[in-house]
Amino acid sequence: MTLLSKEIDAIHERETQLSGPYPSKNPNELLRMVFLFPFSHAYSLMCGGPMGLYDLVNRSPGIPAVAERALQYDCLVHDGNRLTTSDGETYRSIESPLPVSEADVVGLSMVNSGDLHSALRLLDLAGIPRRAVERKSGVHPLVVGGNMGLSNPEPMADYVDVIALGEAERSLPELLRIVHAHDSEPTEWARLLEQLARVPGLYVPSLYEPTFLPGGGISGITPRTRAIPGHVQAQYLTLAELHDAHFTYPITDGTAAGIHPVVGCRHSCAFCNLGIPPFRQAPLGMLTDYIDHLEQLKVRTIIISAPTFTQYKHRRELLEHIGAYADRAAAEGDKVTTIIGSIRADEISADYLNAVTELGDFGHLFTELNLSQARGIITIAPEWAAPDLVALYGKTQTPERVDKAIELCGANRNINTVMLYFIIGAPGEREDDRLAIADYAHRIRRLLGRPDGSVIVKLHQFMPKPGTPTQRLRMADPDVVQAYGDQISDRLRSLVGNEDFERYYRVVYGETSRMRLEVVCSRGDRRVGHVLEDLYDAGTDLKTLTKAQLAEAMTRHGLDYDRHLRHMDDAVLPWHILDHVDRHAEQLLTSALTTREAQ
């Protein structure tokens, strides 16, 4: 038996379908869709978007397709930027021995714009031509992309056939119905793409012609035919249209499973896209029934994947339900761990903290930090230390509200660590604003009032997001932001002394190489995808990518790295077909930040 077959067999042994068995479908009469995951098995199960769609396709008799999953399996061989199977074995899905390359449709979920190159790796691994123009109808699969990493889809425009914008529970089934009814003759390929482009929420990049500007950006982008729309609107659905797997992980590996109690956010901060979808919350009964099922299966880790969980109106009842499960497990000698996303300080109450700490073993989902202990942590995002900067960007977490939240944490003896998220390098920010982050962290630890209290400062570079009022704002060079992080860390060390700093504080920042990629991918045009492809083919280590390497690769395609950092006052943005942001709101924010910075 091959290594890949052994790994897939092991996956089958530990997986349980939480939403019940799928109805029988005849795969010979249906399309075959394979979702490609750039993650290992355990993490792939946490990917709510593609996993929910996988469940929807397989659960719905009216959708003429079966869905499968192909992962970045542990047994794959790393060869520079590429992945290969051992001994030339066929890359296959968990569900089928057939090659992934023989699928009718392939799905790529891009979580982060700084990781778009993983699409090239997955397509190569599957043996599917990377560029859309090289793929042939009836021979190669239709490649469909989605998720927040494609908020600006233009860098991948020459590599992805269709991009599903927003929630795809309506657009993806319609795509599959159209493809299923389509004549696979190559001459009919253009007609198929035109049909798909008319589906609300589907963007077909090849049907639009951009006019490029020197150095980066475009002066215009127009539909190639009158049959396709001039703008495409992301789709967001009503609660009734979202099936259970949108709110609950449909599969468990036997150790962990999770829920998404809420979708969207009640707030609309200028720099954040959480508030773009309408706010919806799962019925309590759906979630408690799900927790009961986890208890029956003895799944002992529950993940609450919702950064706005404190907005869930039934949070107390849900936490009490999980707590009761934890008590029953403890009586059997087992421990239930509940992992919760970050929360808003202005939504913390003593009632909430008591409910959380009564769970017993609880923590925060922050696998990127690799801390040795993850218990007793509450995560709060002030974003900026300067109150007026917080207000300018539309955030409501005033210092007074944060202080009140910390006092509540201090009164709850189960909480000994506070993680603070801050943004650095944003327009309007001054040097004293950044250094004040160190003073803020020092003050928070004192306010927590615990001898063993710790503070983790997580610094994020300001990254304007397409589709938000900040999308045109300038960015700081990631190398400069790295220096800002050093300054904040040094300032905090000088405030508290070396011994206390090492014992009670941690300042986490960096990821400079990924930030460089985000700079160009989050706001670049279609030429950026070719830059990524060049770097990928050259074997450049994209985890340690230098500014010089990226700038040189961009120059070969007529692009200027620094141009992507500037304030984008262009009349037309690269993602113009998708842009629905109020231009007046953008201008007001820019003016206010410029005024503050000049004071």
Side-chain angles (χ1 to χ4, degrees):
M1 182 180 290
T2 65
L3 291 175
L4 182 56
S5 295
K6 288 180 180 178
E7 184 170 342
I8 289 174
D9 284 350
I11 288 172
H12 283 300
E13 288 177 6
R14 63 180 181 267
E15 278 195 347
T16 299
Q17 188 74 44
L18 291 168
S19 48
Y22 293 132
S24 178
K25 286 187 174 186
N26 184 351
N28 297 322
E29 299 175 357
L30 304 173
L31 296 175
R32 178 172 170 242
M33 179 172 187
V34 178
F35 289 93
L36 298 182
F37 292 82
F39 309 114
S40 60
H41 179 244
Y43 194 80
S44 73
L45 298 179
M46 298 168 58
C47 299
M51 285 301 299
L53 294 171
Y54 163 89
D55 183 85
L56 177 67
V57 171
N58 287 328
R59 191 163 299 288
S60 305
I63 299 178
V66 292
E68 303 171 9
R69 297 163 291 149
L71 313 178
Q72 191 165 304
Y73 300 106
D74 293 338
C75 67
L76 296 177
V77 179
H78 291 259
D79 180 13
N81 286 322
R82 299 173 187 266
L83 288 170
T84 60
T85 57
S86 58
D87 303 321
E89 187 179 1
T90 298
Y91 179 61
R92 51 164 291 197
S93 72
I94 294 172
E95 292 80 4
S96 171
L98 296 174
V100 170
S101 61
E102 294 180 7
D104 300 292
V105 180
V106 162
L108 289 167
S109 179
M110 309 309 300
V111 178
N112 190 286
S113 61
D115 191 43
L116 294 183
H117 53 275
S118 67
L120 306 177
R121 180 184 299 117
L122 291 172
L123 291 174
D124 276 1
L125 176 61
I128 299 169
R130 298 174 197 161
R131 297 198 183 186
V133 71
E134 297 171 358
R135 298 192 285 267
K136 298 178 181 178
S137 177
V139 178
H140 301 117
L142 184 81
V143 178
V144 182
N147 217 324
M148 295 310 299
L150 293 171
S151 295
N152 171 22
E154 293 308 297
M156 298 307 295
D158 290 336
Y159 303 87
V160 178
D161 296 305
V162 183
I163 295 167
L165 305 171
E167 292 161 350
E169 275 89 345
R170 201 159 49 197
S171 60
L172 180 63
E174 185 62 17
L175 176 148
L176 293 172
R177 293 185 188 102
I178 291 171
V179 174
H180 185 257
H182 168 67
D183 185 340
S184 63
E185 288 297 318
T187 55
E188 294 296 306
W189 186 249
R191 188 173 67 85
L192 169 65
L193 293 179
E194 284 194 4
Q195 279 187 272
L196 296 176
R198 292 193 290 271
V199 175
L202 296 184
Y203 173 49
V204 182
S206 65
L207 299 184
Y208 297 85
E209 180 69 34
T211 302
F212 296 119
L213 290 170
I218 62 174
S219 61
I221 182 168
T222 56
R224 294 183 187 274
T225 74
R226 294 182 178 180
I228 59 174
H231 281 82
V232 183
Q233 178 77 53
Q235 297 295 292
Y236 297 105
L237 311 181
T238 66
L239 180 62
E241 293 176 287
L242 298 175
H243 70 308
D244 287 9
H246 198 90
F247 298 101
T248 58
Y249 295 12
I251 295 175
T252 178
D253 63 357
T255 65
I259 56 178
H260 307 271
V262 297
V263 178
C265 179
R266 294 188 184 279
H267 303 272
S268 297
C269 303
F271 59 91
C272 181
N273 46 26
L274 278 177
I276 294 174
F279 181 77
R280 289 143 296 165
Q281 42 194 332
L284 177 62
M286 174 199 296
L287 302 182
T288 54
D289 288 349
Y290 183 83
I291 299 302
D292 291 343
H293 194 184
L294 298 186
E295 181 173 6
Q296 293 169 8
L297 297 171
K298 296 186 182 299
V299 176
R300 301 307 200 197
T301 298
I302 299 170
I303 301 167
I304 301 179
S305 303
T308 55
F309 176 54
T310 43
Q311 297 175 15
Y312 184 53
K313 67 179 178 181
H314 303 301
R315 60 185 180 273
R316 176 77 197 197
E317 295 94 326
L318 178 60
L319 292 174
E320 287 176 347
H321 199 83
I322 296 172
Y325 166 33
D327 290 342
R328 289 189 291 271
E332 298 175 7
D334 282 349
K335 180 172 65 175
V336 171
T337 298
T338 304
I339 300 174
I340 303 174
S342 59
I343 54 180
R344 295 179 61 96
D346 49 358
E347 294 169 350
I348 290 178
S349 65
D351 184 65
Y352 171 79
L353 292 176
N354 289 335
V356 168
T357 55
E358 285 169 6
L359 294 174
D361 207 27
F362 73 96
H364 171 252
L365 183 61
F366 63 114
T367 53
E368 76 276 10
L369 294 181
N370 298 314
L371 291 184
S372 58
Q373 63 88 18
R375 302 296 160 246
I377 291 180
I378 288 290
T379 300
I380 296 172
E383 308 297 6
W384 288 275
D388 62 325
L389 206 52
V390 171
L392 281 173
Y393 279 97
K395 192 82 173 176
T396 61
Q397 298 202 96
T398 64
E400 293 76 19
R401 288 175 171 175
V402 173
D403 287 357
K404 180 180 178 182
I406 297 302
E407 288 171 353
L408 289 171
C409 291
N412 187 304
R413 306 313 297 172
N414 295 292
I415 297 170
N416 63 5
T417 302
V418 176
M419 187 188 303
L420 300 171
Y421 279 78
F422 288 98
I423 293 172
I424 55 175
E429 171 190 286
R430 300 184 293 253
E431 182 180 9
D432 58 339
D433 299 322
R434 291 189 295 273
L435 295 178
I437 292 172
D439 301 76
Y440 199 112
H442 184 207
R443 182 175 60 80
I444 289 300
R445 181 174 183 269
R446 288 184 300 177
L447 193 60
L448 187 61
R450 293 195 53 153
D452 62 341
S454 298
V455 174
I456 303 166
V457 178
K458 186 78 165 71
L459 302 174
H460 292 272
Q461 175 170 350
F462 173 73
M463 187 63 60
K465 295 180 175 63
T468 70
T470 66
Q471 63 181 357
R472 293 176 180 268
L473 296 181
R474 64 172 172 79
M475 284 185 277
D477 190 305
D479 293 271
V480 173
V481 173
Q482 177 77 19
Y484 290 164
D486 293 342
Q487 292 166 6
I488 293 166
S489 183
D490 291 345
R491 165 71 175 172
L492 182 55
R493 186 183 293 273
S494 68
L495 280 173
V496 304
N498 282 330
E499 184 177 345
D500 278 4
F501 181 86
E502 296 295 336
R503 191 169 183 178
Y504 301 119
Y505 295 92
R506 180 169 178 176
V507 182
V508 183
Y509 57 101
E511 303 177 306
T512 308
S513 295
R514 186 172 68 81
M515 288 296 103
R516 295 188 186 103
L517 290 171
E518 278 205 45
V519 163
V520 298
C521 291
S522 66
R523 52 184 17 192
D525 59 53
R526 300 184 180 195
R527 292 170 286 182
V528 168
H530 298 227
V531 173
L532 295 180
E533 189 175 22
D534 282 358
L535 290 167
Y536 172 84
D537 282 339
T540 306
D541 186 350
L542 296 172
K543 292 182 179 179
T544 60
L545 179 71
T546 67
K547 180 179 178 179
Q549 289 173 317
L550 179 56
E552 181 183 353
M554 293 180 72
T555 299
R556 289 197 295 269
H557 290 273
L559 297 173
D560 178 2
Y561 173 78
D562 290 334
R563 180 175 169 80
H564 292 72
L565 293 166
R566 80 195 197 291
H567 178 80
M568 299 185 75
D569 52 2
D570 309 51
V572 181
L573 296 171
W575 54 92
H576 173 74
I577 298 300
L578 285 60
D579 186 22
H580 292 84
V581 178
D582 183 345
R583 187 74 179 97
H584 182 61
E586 292 178 324
Q587 292 169 338
L588 287 176
L589 178 60
T590 299
S591 177
L593 293 171
T594 301
T595 299
R596 184 190 191 278
E597 201 168 45
Q599 289 173 348

